[in-house]
């Protein structure tokens, strides 16, 4: 079923790609064109300067620097005979990654190709900055499969942009299997160039997110309460879902046990826990809570999150680009501000990011107000060749989308010795 | 805010050179030889500039223009190719093709 969904999305993406391309070529050439010229223009708009690639890499997987050992009861003896020492170090098959793709994305003057060939691992500034290094069609369509520490993932990046003097149209879809990240966006902006170095842009962006950011199901479940009034003016509030009942939900069971210390005669009571197969997995409630329970909380959250539909919202966006380049000095800075006027058009609004701070004891707080937010993406690149043999650079990018915040900054100085 | 202003000022001060940034075709010529000028077709992302000796003698001298007309392709102020006229004061017939080929190469390098 999932494959069908992916194929449908890919099909839709290709249709959008072609129809946008044809519209743009027609808009560029409004006069009646011969078929031959139309197809020539279509080819030049779409495929000229593009690169088709298929690439892969294989390397050995991570190996623990220190080996892990454990002991097993000697098959010819009992628990107190000399045990068998077993090497339990985790060994994974080799890692690999292979990708196929096609790309047509211009690099800014300060960006070096870096490698002789494209292999799908490139991350150009043009993918984040509002304005491109080239007016016209650009795209990166990359699909890859990878195995990392024995686990297999699918990754993809489908990016299409058309930049004109006064417009920016962009479609993007990303999937990173190893971090369970899925994201789609479509944006349309009006662009106002001010001189050759600066441009402003404004429009709207529609984005999807799979995760219910800000919604923590297990915390809400644990915080649900019941109130008991004994009729004599005493009101008691107690948890509706005591923490240990989550274990029962997943087939775990507790068993009452009394332990008597034979030396001191001290008697303690506790509960030991068994898994759904009846194997003992914790010797006390505390032991259970500190080991198995943490996994159950995450499992519960995953199940609830997965049961929710993906979200889609639309919001206004503002941006700017400043670009100046000479061979000895360059500055490129850009930013996009997704304004706090988000409107969800897909997904359950109760669990949306607008309600991220509205959950408390007893669930969603009644009459709580939806809370808007700002999202940003900004970058700054600066490089200068101070003298023939000294260069300095600063490069950084900051992205804040919903709950996630990503930033990276590189800076340095180079001095070449004669 | 201050940092932005300083950066902008710095940027504009640096950009006062005579040949602009970007990809640009400059046709150097003189008023008396306008008949031998060629018409350079407009190309996307490429600026086209005509300079006459009587108006910009310093630029001619700085760029060591010896023959008129001369066509020079610059990328970010650096000369990429120079095509000079011959004794008949005319540029070669295939000058446009040579220029476009060089521009194609420059654009292709960016992808």
């Amino acid at each position: 079923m999932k494959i069908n969904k992916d194929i449908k999305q890919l099909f839709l993406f290709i249709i959008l790609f072609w129809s946008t391309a044809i519209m743009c070529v027609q808009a560029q050439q409004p006069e009646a064109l011969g078929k031959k010229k139309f197809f020539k223009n279509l080819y030049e708009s779409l495929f000229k300067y593009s690169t088709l690639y298929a690439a892969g890499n294989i390397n050995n997987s991570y190996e623990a620097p220190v080996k892990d050992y454990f002991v097993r009861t000697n098959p010819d003896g009992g628990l107190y005979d000399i045990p068998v020492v077993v090497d339990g170090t985790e060994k994974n098959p080799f890692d690999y990654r292979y990708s196929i793709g096609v790309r047509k994305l211009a690099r800014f003057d300060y960006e070096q190709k870096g490698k002789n060939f494209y292999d799908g691992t490139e991350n150009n500034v043009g993918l984040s900055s509002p304005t491109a290094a080239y007016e016209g069609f650009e795209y990166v369509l990359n699909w890859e499969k990878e195995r990392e520490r024995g686990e297999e993932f699918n990754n993809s990046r489908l990016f299409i942009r058309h930049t004109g003097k006064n417009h920016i149209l962009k479609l993007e879809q990303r999937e990173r299997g190893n971090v369970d990240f899925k994201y789609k966006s479509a944006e349309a902006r009006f662009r106002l160039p001010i001189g050759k170095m600066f441009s402003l842009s404004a429009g709207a962006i529609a984005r999807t997110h799979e995760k219910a950011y800000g919604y923590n199901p297990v915390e809400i479940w644990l915080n649900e309460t019941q109130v008991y009034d004994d009729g004599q003016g005493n009101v008691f509030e107690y948890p509706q879902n005591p923490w240990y009942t989550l274990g029962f939900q997943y087939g775990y069971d507790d068993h009452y046990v009394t332990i008597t210390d034979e030396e001191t005669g001290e008697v303690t009571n506790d509960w030991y826990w068994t898994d759904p197969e009846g194997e003992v997995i914790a010797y006390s409630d505390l032991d259970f809570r500190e080991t198995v329970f943490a996994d159950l909380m995450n499992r519960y959250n995953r199940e609830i999150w997965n049961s929710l539909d993906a979200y889609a919202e639309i919001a206004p966006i503002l941006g700017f680009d400043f670009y100046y380049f000479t061979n000895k000095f360059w500055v490129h800075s850009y930013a996009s501000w997704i304004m706090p006027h988000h409107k969800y058009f897909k997904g359950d609004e109760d669990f949306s990011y607008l309600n991220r701070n509205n959950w408390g004891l007893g669930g969603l707080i009644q009459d709580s107000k939806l809370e808007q937010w700002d999202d940003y993406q900004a970058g700054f690149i600066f490089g200068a060749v101070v003298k023939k043999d000294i260069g300095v650079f600063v490069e950084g990018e900051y992205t804040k989308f919903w709950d996630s915040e990503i930033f990276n900054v590189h800076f340095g100085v180079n001095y070449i010795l004669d | 805010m201050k940092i932005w202003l300083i950066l902008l000022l710095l940027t504009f001060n640096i950009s006062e050179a005579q040949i602009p940034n970007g990809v640009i075709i400059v046709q150097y010529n003189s008023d008396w030889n306008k008949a031998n000028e060629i018409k350079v077709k407009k190309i996307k992302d490429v600026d086209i500039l005509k300079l006459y000796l009587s108006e910009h003698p310093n630029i001619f001298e700085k760029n060591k223009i010896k023959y008129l007309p001369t066509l020079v392709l610059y990328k970010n102020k650096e000369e990429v190719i120079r095509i000079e006229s011959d004794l008949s004061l005319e540029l070669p017939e295939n000058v446009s093709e040579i220029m476009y080929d060089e521009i194609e190469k420059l654009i292709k390098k960016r992808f």
Side-chain angles (χ1 to χ4, degrees):
Chain A
M1 286 305 279
K2 191 185 173 296
I3 291 169
N4 280 344
K5 201 179 159 196
D6 286 347
I7 289 171
K8 269 184 199 167
Q9 282 178 353
L10 183 63
F11 192 62
L12 187 70
F13 213 80
I14 290 167
I15 289 172
L16 276 169
F17 177 74
W18 277 100
S19 45
T20 318
I22 290 165
M23 278 191 301
C24 289
V25 172
Q26 279 174 337
Q28 281 168 4
Q29 303 284 340
E31 71 272 19
L33 290 173
K35 263 188 189 173
K36 214 172 170 184
K37 194 159 185 195
F38 174 80
F39 284 111
K40 186 173 177 270
N41 284 352
L42 188 65
Y43 169 79
E44 287 189 356
S45 285
L46 277 180
F47 300 117
K48 199 173 179 186
Y49 311 125
S50 65
T51 308
L52 283 159
Y53 60 85
N57 62 272
I58 299 170
N59 46 279
N60 57 304
S61 62
Y62 170 79
E63 200 172 310
V66 181
K67 290 198 168 196
D68 289 331
Y69 294 99
F70 64 92
V71 289
R72 192 173 278 156
T73 307
N74 194 323
D76 301 325
L79 185 62
Y80 298 102
D81 289 313
I82 296 171
V84 180
V85 177
V86 181
D87 181 356
T89 313
E90 194 181 350
K91 285 192 176 109
N92 295 311
F94 61 88
D95 289 349
Y96 67 78
R97 186 191 69 85
Y98 61 84
S99 63
I100 56 162
V102 55
R103 59 171 282 145
K104 179 189 172 186
L105 184 73
R107 296 187 305 278
F108 286 96
D109 287 306
Y110 57 82
E111 284 185 286
Q112 302 292 322
K113 193 172 178 182
K115 293 175 287 189
N116 289 325
F117 303 103
Y118 288 125
D119 63 6
T121 58
E122 298 76 22
N123 193 15
N124 296 80
V125 178
L127 293 164
S128 321
S129 61
T131 300
Y134 171 82
E135 279 192 6
F137 248 108
E138 291 181 294
Y139 49 86
V140 175
L141 309 176
N142 180 66
W143 293 268
E144 65 183 40
K145 192 169 180 78
E146 68 172 330
R147 183 168 72 189
E148 199 183 304
R149 296 193 192 191
E151 284 194 73
E152 289 186 341
F153 306 103
N154 292 317
N155 305 323
S156 64
R157 181 164 209 168
L158 311 176
F159 171 94
I160 302 171
R161 176 174 55 203
H162 191 276
T163 312
K165 193 184 169 195
N166 293 115
H167 73 269
I168 302 165
L169 298 169
K170 193 166 117 180
L171 286 173
E172 191 173 15
Q173 177 182 313
R174 289 190 76 180
E175 182 180 0
R176 295 286 313 170
N178 58 353
V179 286
D180 196 20
F181 171 76
K182 280 182 185 172
Y183 171 78
K184 287 179 201 136
S185 74
E187 64 180 85
R189 302 195 205 190
F190 170 74
R191 178 171 173 251
L192 178 67
I194 301 171
K196 285 207 158 191
M197 293 187 275
F198 190 71
S199 78
L200 292 170
S201 58
I205 181 167
R207 300 178 296 165
T208 66
H209 60 92
E210 301 274 326
K211 255 172 97 175
Y213 289 109
Y215 169 56
N216 186 352
V218 76
E219 189 180 13
I220 292 160
W221 184 81
L222 287 169
N223 278 313
E224 281 181 43
T225 54
Q226 273 192 340
V227 175
Y228 172 69
D229 188 344
D230 65 0
Q232 295 171 350
N234 300 315
V235 177
F236 302 95
E237 191 176 10
Y238 59 93
Q240 186 178 326
N241 306 307
W243 66 268
Y244 49 84
T245 58
L246 191 66
F248 302 152
Q249 282 193 27
Y250 288 105
Y252 293 83
D253 204 359
D254 59 353
H255 308 270
Y256 188 69
V257 64
T258 301
I259 301 165
T260 307
D261 188 324
E262 294 203 351
E263 281 181 20
T264 61
E266 190 185 350
V267 177
T268 51
N269 304 309
D270 212 322
W271 300 82
Y272 75 92
W273 285 80
T274 52
D275 67 11
E277 283 75 43
E279 294 284 326
V280 177
I281 40 91
Y283 290 95
S284 67
D285 272 346
L286 187 62
D287 187 13
F288 180 74
R289 199 161 86 166
E290 288 182 351
T291 54
V292 182
F293 187 71
D295 291 336
L296 294 184
M297 284 170 70
N298 294 330
R299 186 174 159 189
Y300 179 81
N301 268 353
R302 265 198 311 275
E303 285 174 7
I304 300 289
W305 282 331
N306 289 341
S307 70
L308 296 171
D309 286 336
Y311 294 88
E313 52 114 334
I314 188 162
I317 186 167
L318 287 179
F320 82 88
D321 263 273
F322 176 80
Y323 182 73
Y324 177 79
F325 179 86
T326 66
N327 289 335
K328 293 191 171 172
F329 175 87
W330 57 90
V331 178
H332 185 193
S333 62
Y334 57 88
S336 290
W337 172 35
I338 302 173
M339 299 167 74
H341 299 283
H342 303 264
K343 175 81 189 152
Y344 276 91
F345 58 91
K346 191 170 175 260
D348 189 339
E349 199 175 67
D350 279 356
F351 305 105
S352 75
Y353 199 56
L354 291 166
N355 268 323
R356 63 197 175 281
N357 293 322
N358 293 338
W359 292 89
L361 284 175
L364 192 62
I365 299 163
Q366 277 196 334
D367 302 325
S368 52
K369 283 188 179 165
L370 300 175
E371 206 177 322
Q372 289 287 345
W373 73 96
D374 300 276
D375 279 346
Y376 310 94
Q377 185 167 46
F380 181 78
I381 292 113
F382 163 82
V385 180
V386 182
K387 276 184 166 184
K388 206 173 107 187
D389 40 19
I390 299 176
V392 290
F393 68 93
V394 180
E395 295 175 1
E397 192 174 75
Y398 173 79
T399 304
K400 188 250 155 201
F401 279 0
W402 301 292
D403 255 359
S404 66
E405 204 173 12
I406 303 165
F407 67 90
N408 61 70
V409 180
H410 308 269
F411 50 88
V413 56
N414 279 199
Y415 177 57
I416 301 166
L417 299 170
D418 289 328
Chain B
M1 197 64 191
K2 273 184 187 169
I3 292 169
W4 279 109
L5 281 173
I6 291 164
L7 272 173
L8 278 172
L9 283 172
L10 189 64
T11 304
F12 287 116
N13 282 333
I14 286 165
S15 66
E16 57 185 31
Q18 288 135 334
I19 300 295
N21 252 334
V23 180
I24 181 163
I25 298 172
V26 182
Q27 186 164 192
Y28 294 94
N29 205 354
S30 61
D31 295 320
W32 49 263
N33 195 29
K34 277 188 177 173
N36 286 328
E37 249 173 38
I38 63 145
K39 197 176 176 215
V40 183
K41 209 168 76 181
K42 211 174 170 196
I43 308 164
K44 197 171 142 190
D45 294 331
V46 178
D47 291 322
I48 297 160
L49 196 68
K50 281 182 188 174
L51 296 177
Y52 295 102
L53 181 61
S54 56
E55 292 165 16
H56 306 283
N58 294 342
I59 302 180
F60 277 62
E61 197 184 329
K62 192 184 163 196
N63 291 291
K64 294 174 185 156
I65 304 300
K66 294 176 189 164
Y67 303 93
L68 296 174
T70 292
L71 213 59
V72 183
L73 174 68
Y74 295 95
K75 190 191 172 205
N76 295 322
K77 296 175 186 171
E78 283 194 359
E79 190 174 317
V80 177
I81 187 170
R82 173 182 295 226
I83 304 169
E84 295 169 327
S85 59
D86 54 19
L87 289 173
S88 65
L89 302 177
E90 283 178 20
L91 287 160
E93 272 183 21
N94 62 343
V95 62
S96 297
E97 285 81 47
I98 298 170
M99 255 328 143
Y100 298 146
D101 282 351
E102 286 300 322
I103 290 164
E104 275 286 306
K105 281 183 206 163
L106 287 179
I107 298 173
K108 204 172 178 181
K109 267 189 197 169
R110 300 174 69 185
F111 286 90

